[in-house]
Amino acid sequence: MGLLGKIFTWWDGATIGTTLYSWRKGKSVGEDIFGNKYYELRKPGEGESRRWVIYDGANDASRVPSEWHGWLHHSYDEVPESHLQQPRIWEKEYTPNLTGTAEAYRPAGALESGGVRASATGDYEPWNPAEAE
């Protein structure tokens, strides 16, 4: 993406303003397995604390691993790499958020998957207020 793209787009990586802010005021603290870079203020003032992420690619918050999410939201002060647990055998690999894409989940009856719903089974009885008294 060229310089003009960086100036006017926010949905695909950091804008030029965010990049300049990161260079001027930010201190790089780490990088996750997806290539996202994490920053915090170099010289925070009284009661001021700011942390942010520069995504490697599209800006999708679901691409922030849970350990870095906790750090971004001040759940703990240490950088996650200093206290990462070993992955459990039952943990799944990361999959991106597919909402809005062609690979998104579409249940039976959804318009995008043909729009044919299963027929009614006959076990439904509508409520009748006259019978309720």
Side-chain angles (χ1 to χ4, degrees):
M1 178 179 300
L3 180 62
L4 275 168
K6 282 289 188 190
I7 292 172
F8 295 110
T9 61
W10 54 265
W11 54 86
D12 191 22
T15 61
I16 194 132
T18 304
T19 304
L20 290 174
Y21 184 81
S22 298
W23 287 342
R24 272 187 62 226
K25 302 223 177 195
K27 173 179 74 170
S28 179
V29 294
E31 187 173 327
D32 65 20
I33 59 173
F34 305 117
N36 301 326
K37 295 180 178 149
Y38 297 87
Y39 295 87
E40 65 183 347
L41 281 178
R42 189 172 294 155
K43 297 177 186 174
E46 180 78 24
E48 181 183 27
S49 178
R50 181 165 184 224
R51 297 173 176 174
W52 66 95
V53 59
I54 303 287
Y55 295 100
D56 182 33
N59 294 340
D60 181 7
S62 70
R63 293 180 52 219
V64 175
S66 59
E67 61 271 5
W68 281 102
H69 180 271
W71 178 83
L72 281 170
H73 293 273
H74 301 278
S75 295
Y76 43 85
D77 290 328
E78 304 86 31
V79 176
E81 293 160 348
S82 64
H83 58 83
L84 281 180
Q85 298 178 354
Q86 291 295 327
R88 308 271 199 239
I89 193 167
W90 44 263
E91 288 181 312
K92 290 184 173 182
E93 288 293 318
Y94 165 78
T95 55
N97 183 353
L98 300 175
T99 304
T101 67
E103 291 84 31
Y105 170 72
R106 305 241 180 351
L111 294 176
E112 294 87 357
S113 62
V116 179
R117 292 178 27 178
S119 59
T121 60
D123 61 352
Y124 172 75
E125 292 180 28
W127 178 72
N128 188 345
E131 294 176 4
E133 296 175 353

